[in-house]
Amino acid sequence: MTALLKNCKLCPRACGADRTRVRGLCGANDQIEAARASLHQWEEPPISGTRGSGTVFFSHCSLGCVFCQNRQISRRDGIGKPISVQDLAQTFLSLAQSGAHNINLVTGAHYVPQIIQALSLARKHGLQIPVVYNSSGYECVETLRLLRGYVDIYLPDYKYYSSYYAARYSHAEDYREVAVAAITEMVRQTGAPQYDANGLLIRGTVIRHLMLPGLAGDTAQVLRDIADRFGDTVLVSLMRQYTPFDMQDWPELDRTITDDEYADACELFQSLGLAGFFQQAGSISESFIPAFDGTGLEECKL
Ligand code: SF4
Protein backbone atom coordinates (compact mmCIF):
# COMPACT_ATOMS: atom_id res chain seq x y z
CA MET A 1 0.00 0.00 0.00
CA THR A 2 2.95 2.33 0.48
CA ALA A 3 3.32 2.19 -3.34
CA LEU A 4 0.57 4.83 -3.24
CA LEU A 5 3.21 7.25 -1.89
CA LYS A 6 5.40 6.99 -5.01
CA ASN A 7 3.00 8.98 -7.20
CA CYS A 8 0.81 10.40 -4.48
CA LYS A 9 -2.81 11.15 -5.32
CA LEU A 10 -4.17 10.45 -1.88
CA CYS A 11 -5.84 13.85 -1.62
CA PRO A 12 -7.68 16.02 -4.16
CA ARG A 13 -4.54 18.13 -4.77
CA ALA A 14 -3.25 15.01 -6.61
CA CYS A 15 0.23 16.53 -6.76
CA GLY A 16 1.83 13.23 -7.84
CA ALA A 17 4.89 13.63 -5.59
CA ASP A 18 7.19 10.66 -5.15
CA ARG A 19 7.15 10.88 -1.37
CA THR A 20 9.97 8.38 -1.00
CA ARG A 21 12.17 11.17 -2.43
CA VAL A 22 10.48 14.52 -1.77
CA ARG A 23 7.72 16.14 0.23
CA GLY A 24 4.38 16.64 -1.49
CA LEU A 25 2.38 19.83 -1.74
CA CYS A 26 0.96 19.14 1.72
CA GLY A 27 4.45 18.86 3.23
CA ALA A 28 4.37 15.12 3.93
CA ASN A 29 7.01 12.63 2.79
CA ASP A 30 6.81 8.88 3.39
CA GLN A 31 7.64 9.21 7.09
CA ILE A 32 4.66 9.66 9.41
CA GLU A 33 4.98 12.88 11.43
CA ALA A 34 2.71 13.68 14.35
CA ALA A 35 2.72 16.35 17.03
CA ARG A 36 0.69 14.99 19.93
CA ALA A 37 -1.35 12.04 21.18
CA SER A 38 -3.55 12.55 24.23
CA LEU A 39 -6.97 12.20 25.79
CA HIS A 40 -8.88 15.14 24.35
CA GLN A 41 -11.98 16.57 26.05
CA TRP A 42 -12.95 19.10 23.42
CA GLU A 43 -14.77 16.94 20.89
CA GLU A 44 -18.57 16.59 20.78
CA PRO A 45 -19.95 15.03 24.03
CA PRO A 46 -20.67 11.49 22.67
CA ILE A 47 -17.12 11.38 21.29
CA SER A 48 -15.18 12.83 24.24
CA GLY A 49 -17.41 11.10 26.79
CA THR A 50 -16.15 11.25 30.37
CA ARG A 51 -12.59 10.03 29.84
CA GLY A 52 -11.67 11.72 26.56
CA SER A 53 -11.07 10.88 22.95
CA GLY A 54 -7.69 9.31 22.15
CA THR A 55 -6.56 11.97 19.73
CA VAL A 56 -3.53 11.77 17.44
CA PHE A 57 -2.64 15.06 15.75
CA PHE A 58 -0.80 14.43 12.49
CA SER A 59 1.51 17.04 10.99
CA HIS A 60 0.80 18.74 7.63
CA CYS A 61 -2.48 19.15 5.77
CA SER A 62 -3.58 19.15 2.16
CA LEU A 63 -6.12 21.96 2.57
CA GLY A 64 -4.15 24.76 4.25
CA CYS A 65 -6.84 27.22 5.40
CA VAL A 66 -5.52 30.72 6.06
CA PHE A 67 -7.21 30.78 9.49
CA CYS A 68 -6.07 27.32 10.67
CA GLN A 69 -5.89 27.09 14.46
CA ASN A 70 -3.39 24.23 14.24
CA ARG A 71 -1.08 26.10 11.87
CA GLN A 72 1.98 25.22 13.98
CA ILE A 73 1.64 21.66 12.71
CA SER A 74 -0.54 21.89 9.63
CA ARG A 75 1.61 24.04 7.37
CA ARG A 76 3.97 22.56 4.79
CA ASP A 77 6.85 23.25 7.20
CA GLY A 78 4.76 22.38 10.26
CA ILE A 79 6.44 20.80 13.25
CA GLY A 80 6.14 17.11 14.02
CA LYS A 81 7.95 14.10 15.38
CA PRO A 82 8.81 11.35 12.88
CA ILE A 83 7.31 8.02 13.97
CA SER A 84 7.14 4.55 12.47
CA VAL A 85 4.01 2.52 11.72
CA GLN A 86 4.89 0.38 14.76
CA ASP A 87 5.21 3.49 16.98
CA LEU A 88 1.80 4.67 15.76
CA ALA A 89 0.25 1.29 16.59
CA GLN A 90 1.83 1.47 20.04
CA THR A 91 0.45 4.98 20.48
CA PHE A 92 -3.07 3.74 19.66
CA LEU A 93 -2.74 0.92 22.19
CA SER A 94 -1.40 3.26 24.88
CA LEU A 95 -4.29 5.67 24.37
CA ALA A 96 -6.76 2.77 24.70
CA GLN A 97 -5.00 1.61 27.88
CA SER A 98 -5.28 5.17 29.26
CA GLY A 99 -9.06 4.91 28.98
CA ALA A 100 -9.73 6.60 25.63
CA HIS A 101 -13.26 6.00 24.40
CA ASN A 102 -11.99 5.95 20.81
CA ILE A 103 -8.95 6.58 18.62
CA ASN A 104 -9.29 9.97 16.93
CA LEU A 105 -7.15 10.54 13.82
CA VAL A 106 -6.83 14.27 13.17
CA THR A 107 -6.01 15.25 9.58
CA GLY A 108 -4.49 11.97 8.48
CA ALA A 109 -5.47 11.85 4.78
CA HIS A 110 -1.85 12.04 3.63
CA TYR A 111 -0.93 9.09 5.89
CA VAL A 112 -3.86 6.77 5.13
CA PRO A 113 -1.72 3.83 3.91
CA GLN A 114 0.42 3.93 7.07
CA ILE A 115 -2.60 4.50 9.33
CA ILE A 116 -4.23 1.36 7.93
CA GLN A 117 -1.06 -0.62 8.63
CA ALA A 118 -0.89 0.76 12.17
CA LEU A 119 -4.55 0.02 12.87
CA SER A 120 -4.15 -3.55 11.57
CA LEU A 121 -1.15 -4.07 13.84
CA ALA A 122 -2.86 -2.50 16.86
CA ARG A 123 -5.95 -4.66 16.31
CA LYS A 124 -3.78 -7.77 16.27
CA HIS A 125 -2.56 -6.64 19.69
CA GLY A 126 -6.05 -6.11 21.07
CA LEU A 127 -7.25 -2.65 20.00
CA GLN A 128 -11.05 -2.74 20.08
CA ILE A 129 -12.33 0.80 20.61
CA PRO A 130 -13.97 2.71 17.72
CA VAL A 131 -11.82 4.72 15.31
CA VAL A 132 -12.75 8.31 14.47
CA TYR A 133 -11.47 9.94 11.26
CA ASN A 134 -11.35 13.69 11.81
CA SER A 135 -11.07 15.52 8.50
CA SER A 136 -11.23 18.84 6.65
CA GLY A 137 -13.75 17.23 4.30
CA TYR A 138 -11.35 17.79 1.38
CA GLU A 139 -10.83 14.10 0.68
CA CYS A 140 -10.70 11.72 -2.27
CA VAL A 141 -13.46 9.12 -2.36
CA GLU A 142 -10.89 6.51 -3.52
CA THR A 143 -8.77 7.17 -0.42
CA LEU A 144 -11.81 6.97 1.86
CA ARG A 145 -12.70 3.60 0.34
CA LEU A 146 -9.35 2.26 1.60
CA LEU A 147 -10.56 3.09 5.12
CA ARG A 148 -13.72 1.01 4.90
CA GLY A 149 -13.67 -1.47 7.78
CA TYR A 150 -11.05 0.56 9.69
CA VAL A 151 -13.05 3.69 10.54
CA ASP A 152 -16.26 3.64 12.60
CA ILE A 153 -16.99 7.35 12.93
CA TYR A 154 -16.28 10.06 10.39
CA LEU A 155 -15.93 13.63 11.63
CA PRO A 156 -15.67 15.75 8.46
CA ASP A 157 -15.91 19.50 8.11
CA TYR A 158 -18.25 21.05 5.59
CA LYS A 159 -16.52 24.43 5.50
CA TYR A 160 -17.91 26.41 2.57
CA TYR A 161 -20.79 26.40 0.15
CA SER A 162 -19.36 29.20 -1.98
CA SER A 163 -16.45 28.44 -4.31
CA TYR A 164 -15.35 32.07 -3.89
CA TYR A 165 -14.74 31.68 -0.15
CA ALA A 166 -13.25 28.21 -0.64
CA ALA A 167 -10.73 29.65 -3.10
CA ARG A 168 -10.03 32.74 -1.01
CA TYR A 169 -9.49 31.05 2.34
CA SER A 170 -8.43 27.49 1.42
CA HIS A 171 -7.12 27.70 -2.17
CA ALA A 172 -9.67 25.05 -3.12
CA GLU A 173 -12.33 26.38 -5.46
CA ASP A 174 -13.74 22.87 -5.82
CA TYR A 175 -14.12 22.41 -2.04
CA ARG A 176 -17.91 21.95 -1.97
CA GLU A 177 -18.09 19.39 -4.78
CA VAL A 178 -15.19 17.43 -3.28
CA ALA A 179 -16.50 17.58 0.29
CA VAL A 180 -20.05 16.58 -0.67
CA ALA A 181 -18.75 13.52 -2.56
CA ALA A 182 -16.48 12.66 0.37
CA ILE A 183 -19.22 13.02 2.99
CA THR A 184 -21.59 10.96 0.84
CA GLU A 185 -19.02 8.13 0.85
CA MET A 186 -18.53 8.51 4.62
CA VAL A 187 -22.27 8.25 5.28
CA ARG A 188 -22.48 5.28 2.93
CA GLN A 189 -19.83 3.49 5.02
CA THR A 190 -21.17 4.31 8.48
CA GLY A 191 -24.94 4.53 8.07
CA ALA A 192 -26.95 6.48 10.65
CA PRO A 193 -25.53 7.24 14.12
CA GLN A 194 -25.37 4.37 16.62
CA TYR A 195 -24.64 4.68 20.34
CA ASP A 196 -23.54 2.30 23.06
CA ALA A 197 -25.39 1.80 26.34
CA ASN A 198 -23.58 4.84 27.84
CA GLY A 199 -24.62 7.18 25.04
CA LEU A 200 -21.21 7.20 23.36
CA LEU A 201 -21.14 7.27 19.58
CA ILE A 202 -19.86 3.98 18.17
CA ARG A 203 -20.72 4.49 14.51
CA GLY A 204 -21.88 7.33 12.29
CA THR A 205 -20.92 10.58 10.59
CA VAL A 206 -20.80 13.95 12.37
CA ILE A 207 -20.49 16.92 10.03
CA ARG A 208 -18.81 19.96 11.53
CA HIS A 209 -19.31 23.50 10.34
CA LEU A 210 -17.13 26.25 11.78
CA MET A 211 -18.81 29.62 11.39
CA LEU A 212 -16.56 32.35 9.98
CA PRO A 213 -17.02 36.11 10.46
CA GLY A 214 -19.20 37.66 7.79
CA LEU A 215 -20.13 34.32 6.21
CA ALA A 216 -23.56 33.87 7.83
CA GLY A 217 -25.17 33.47 4.39
CA ASP A 218 -22.68 30.75 3.48
CA THR A 219 -23.37 28.97 6.78
CA ALA A 220 -27.10 29.02 5.97
CA GLN A 221 -26.44 27.44 2.56
CA VAL A 222 -24.23 24.76 4.12
CA LEU A 223 -26.91 23.88 6.70
CA ARG A 224 -29.65 23.74 4.05
CA ASP A 225 -27.50 21.55 1.82
CA ILE A 226 -26.77 19.14 4.69
CA ALA A 227 -30.48 18.91 5.49
CA ASP A 228 -31.38 18.30 1.83
CA ARG A 229 -28.70 15.71 1.16
CA PHE A 230 -28.27 13.85 4.42
CA GLY A 231 -31.25 14.64 6.68
CA ASP A 232 -31.26 12.53 9.81
CA THR A 233 -28.56 10.11 8.62
CA VAL A 234 -25.93 12.47 10.09
CA LEU A 235 -25.31 14.55 13.17
CA VAL A 236 -24.26 18.18 12.70
CA SER A 237 -21.95 20.19 14.93
CA LEU A 238 -22.37 23.96 14.52
CA MET A 239 -19.18 25.56 15.84
CA ARG A 240 -18.58 29.14 16.94
CA GLN A 241 -15.07 28.76 18.35
CA TYR A 242 -13.33 30.60 15.48
CA THR A 243 -10.44 32.59 16.95
CA PRO A 244 -8.44 34.99 14.74
CA PHE A 245 -4.63 34.92 14.75
CA ASP A 246 -2.41 37.20 12.67
CA MET A 247 -5.19 37.99 10.20
CA GLN A 248 -3.73 41.24 8.84
CA ASP A 249 -3.96 39.89 5.27
CA TRP A 250 -7.64 38.97 5.78
CA PRO A 251 -8.98 41.82 7.96
CA GLU A 252 -12.57 40.67 7.42
CA LEU A 253 -11.70 37.52 9.43
CA ASP A 254 -10.14 39.44 12.31
CA ARG A 255 -13.00 39.03 14.78
CA THR A 256 -14.97 36.33 16.53
CA ILE A 257 -18.56 35.26 15.81
CA THR A 258 -21.21 37.44 17.46
CA ASP A 259 -23.97 36.05 19.68
CA ASP A 260 -26.56 37.23 17.14
CA GLU A 261 -24.82 35.49 14.21
CA TYR A 262 -24.66 32.26 16.15
CA ALA A 263 -28.24 32.51 17.44
CA ASP A 264 -29.57 33.02 13.89
CA ALA A 265 -27.65 29.98 12.64
CA CYS A 266 -28.92 27.89 15.57
CA GLU A 267 -32.49 28.92 14.77
CA LEU A 268 -32.07 27.83 11.15
CA PHE A 269 -30.43 24.57 12.29
CA GLN A 270 -33.48 23.76 14.39
CA SER A 271 -35.99 24.83 11.75
CA LEU A 272 -34.31 22.46 9.28
CA GLY A 273 -34.79 19.58 11.73
CA LEU A 274 -31.07 18.86 11.97
CA ALA A 275 -29.79 16.81 14.90
CA GLY A 276 -26.50 17.48 16.63
CA PHE A 277 -24.57 19.94 18.72
CA PHE A 278 -24.28 23.65 19.53
CA GLN A 279 -21.52 25.47 21.44
CA GLN A 280 -21.73 27.91 24.32
CA ALA A 281 -20.24 31.43 24.00
CA GLY A 282 -17.54 30.47 26.52
CA SER A 283 -16.18 27.92 24.09
CA ILE A 284 -14.22 30.64 22.30
CA SER A 285 -10.88 29.84 23.86
CA GLU A 286 -7.34 28.94 23.02
CA SER A 287 -7.81 25.94 25.32
CA PHE A 288 -8.96 24.09 22.20
CA ILE A 289 -5.38 24.26 20.95
CA PRO A 290 -3.19 21.81 22.85
CA ALA A 291 0.60 21.91 23.08
CA PHE A 292 2.11 20.31 20.00
CA ASP A 293 5.19 19.04 21.78
CA GLY A 294 5.20 15.35 20.91
CA THR A 295 3.32 14.40 24.08
CA GLY A 296 2.01 10.84 24.05
CA LEU A 297 3.76 9.62 20.90
CA GLU A 298 5.01 6.24 22.03
CA GLU A 299 7.95 4.18 20.91
CA CYS A 300 7.08 0.68 19.84
CA LYS A 301 7.19 -2.04 22.51
CA LEU A 302 5.22 -4.60 20.48
S1 SF4 B 1 -1.55 13.94 0.16
FE1 SF4 B 1 0.10 15.48 -0.07
S2 SF4 B 1 1.58 14.48 -1.41
FE2 SF4 B 1 -0.36 13.34 -1.63
S3 SF4 B 1 -1.46 14.27 -3.36
FE3 SF4 B 1 -2.12 15.33 -1.52
S4 SF4 B 1 -0.76 17.12 -1.36
FE4 SF4 B 1 0.22 15.67 -2.76
Side-chain angles (χ1 to χ4, degrees):
M1 211 183 263
T2 43
L4 292 170
L5 306 181
K6 287 202 125 234
N7 175 22
C8 187
K9 296 192 174 155
L10 286 171
C11 87
R13 303 287 188 198
C15 74
D18 177 354
R19 290 171 48 186
T20 62
R21 296 159 51 86
V22 295
R23 291 181 182 269
L25 204 61
C26 59
N29 59 16
D30 61 349
Q31 170 84 63
I32 307 165
E33 290 172 287
R36 185 181 178 87
S38 61
L39 296 180
H40 197 58
Q41 306 289 347
W42 299 101
E43 308 292 18
E44 287 72 8
I47 295 176
S48 284
T50 52
R51 299 192 301 267
S53 178
T55 305
V56 180
F57 291 90
F58 292 99
S59 303
H60 312 299
C61 174
S62 56
L63 192 54
C65 306
V66 299
F67 51 82
C68 181
Q69 298 192 7
N70 292 348
R71 65 186 64 190
Q72 257 183 295
I73 64 170
S74 64
R75 295 294 187 238
R76 194 166 192 283
D77 58 355
I79 56 173
K81 177 179 170 186
I83 57 170
S84 67
V85 164
Q86 291 76 15
D87 294 339
L88 185 58
Q90 179 71 62
T91 298
F92 294 158
L93 289 166
S94 298
L95 286 167
Q97 281 155 12
S98 311
H101 293 297
N102 42 59
I103 298 297
N104 188 342
L105 309 164
V106 181
T107 316
H110 40 294
Y111 297 125
V112 160
Q114 299 101 314
I115 285 172
I116 288 173
Q117 291 175 328
L119 284 171
S120 297
L121 183 59
R123 280 182 176 175
K124 275 189 205 145
H125 287 81
L127 185 76
Q128 288 186 324
I129 54 179
V131 173
V132 181
Y133 186 82
N134 192 325
S135 152
S136 68
Y138 198 59
E139 299 270 356
C140 284
V141 169
E142 295 73 19
T143 304
L144 293 172
R145 285 189 181 138
L146 300 174
L147 290 166
R148 190 166 46 192
Y150 291 95
V151 169
D152 303 285
I153 298 164
Y154 283 103
L155 197 50
D157 295 335
Y158 185 159
K159 290 176 183 289
Y160 315 98
Y161 191 87
S162 152
S163 58
Y164 170 79
Y165 293 128
R168 179 168 173 77
Y169 300 134
S170 297
H171 319 289
E173 194 175 4
D174 59 352
Y175 177 85
R176 172 162 55 97
E177 294 77 11
V178 168
V180 164
I183 296 170
T184 302
E185 170 62 20
M186 294 173 186
V187 175
R188 201 178 65 75
Q189 287 184 26
T190 66
Q194 294 175 32
Y195 300 87
D196 70 8
N198 297 315
L200 291 165
L201 196 62
I202 52 172
R203 202 163 173 80
T205 298
V206 181
I207 303 175
R208 284 176 162 171
H209 177 70
L210 175 69
M211 292 188 71
L212 292 174
L215 271 68
D218 203 65
T219 288
Q221 286 182 293
V222 166
L223 294 178
R224 287 196 186 97
D225 198 39
I226 293 172
D228 286 348
R229 290 179 189 277
F230 304 112
D232 59 5
T233 61
V234 298
L235 298 168
V236 183
S237 182
L238 183 60
M239 306 170 84
R240 62 168 303 170
Q241 73 201 53
Y242 172 76
T243 310
F245 298 97
D246 302 329
M247 297 314 292
Q248 53 271 25
D249 291 339
W250 294 275
E252 73 275 22
L253 293 182
D254 199 14
R255 67 168 175 87
T256 54
I257 299 299
T258 67
D259 289 347
D260 284 349
E261 283 171 326
Y262 193 63
D264 287 349
C266 290
E267 200 178 311
L268 176 64
F269 183 113
Q270 285 171 314
S271 74
L272 290 168
L274 294 169
F277 314 95
F278 301 132
Q279 285 182 320
Q280 304 302 314
S283 58
I284 305 166
S285 161
E286 289 186 34
S287 59
F288 280 90
I289 306 169
F292 295 124
D293 54 4
T295 294
L297 296 168
E298 298 282 339
E299 284 183 18
C300 185
K301 302 175 204 121
L302 300 175

